[in-house]
Amino acid sequence: MLRIRGVFLCLFCIISFLCSGFASVNIPVVKGDLSAGQAITSANWGWGSISEKKLTRFIILDPLQLSGMLSRYIKRSGDPFYRGDVTIPDVIHNQDKLTLTVRTGRVQVSVPVIALKNGALGCTIRVLNPATQKILDAVIIDSRNVEVLFN
């Protein structure tokens, strides 16, 4: 009798799940309003829920992915965060004076350059070597250093 009761209870759970729809998933949502270009902090988001049926691969599920990011668009309270809604802040801006490092084997050469574009960590930007007037592609290492991508 116990075994039959357990099977009946399990069938009841499955039927009630199918009748009620999909389960809900907790996701980070906007808390208050966000303006475009505003930094996202722990005060800007809270937990909300969304139907599993409406869940897409573009919705951010992990709030750690929001840390240190900027909002690209105006977002209203309760809106979910989509991957395209956030961007990495720029650490280098147009006309910043930087140090370009070129490494080949044991030899390392550093020269001053000028940024020609804005960029975030790890991005590739164009830089101008004022001594030779050559434009090079470089990867951003930090807010004042870039490394040559192509020799």
Side-chain angles (χ1 to χ4, degrees):
M1 185 69 172
L2 249 186
R3 189 171 186 176
I4 294 172
R5 214 178 270 167
V7 170
F8 177 73
L9 183 62
C10 188
L11 285 174
F12 177 74
C13 292
I14 292 170
I15 291 169
S16 64
F17 173 74
L18 292 174
C19 292
S20 66
F22 292 89
S24 62
V25 178
N26 286 335
I27 59 169
V29 296
V30 178
K31 184 175 159 186
D33 290 341
L34 278 176
S35 59
Q38 183 176 350
I40 300 172
T41 64
S42 58
N44 298 113
W45 69 271
W47 289 104
S49 62
I50 188 170
S51 168
E52 196 174 87
K53 184 178 181 181
K54 294 182 179 180
L55 191 63
T56 69
R57 64 186 174 113
F58 301 108
I59 293 178
I60 294 175
L61 300 174
D62 185 5
L64 293 176
Q65 293 177 342
L66 300 172
S67 179
M69 301 293 265
L70 297 177
S71 175
R72 280 189 178 173
Y73 311 108
I74 296 172
K75 302 282 288 173
R76 301 288 173 223
S77 186
D79 288 347
F81 287 100
Y82 292 92
R83 295 187 194 280
D85 292 344
V86 295
T87 185
I88 301 170
D90 291 335
V91 294
I92 290 179
H93 302 288
N94 191 19
Q95 300 300 314
D96 279 354
K97 291 179 179 22
L98 310 170
T99 301
L100 173 73
T101 304
V102 180
R103 291 186 182 133
T104 53
R106 292 180 144 183
V107 179
Q108 176 176 323
V109 178
S110 297
V111 294
V113 293
I114 299 171
L116 299 177
K117 289 263 185 182
N118 297 347
L121 286 177
C123 292
T124 302
I125 62 168
R126 303 196 83 174
V127 294
L128 171 70
N129 181 344
T132 63
Q133 294 299 309
K134 285 198 173 191
I135 296 175
L136 302 166
D137 292 327
V139 177
I140 299 172
I141 304 301
D142 59 33
S143 64
R144 294 288 166 229
N145 294 295
V146 293
E147 204 169 81
V148 75
L149 185 61
F150 302 111
N151 293 351

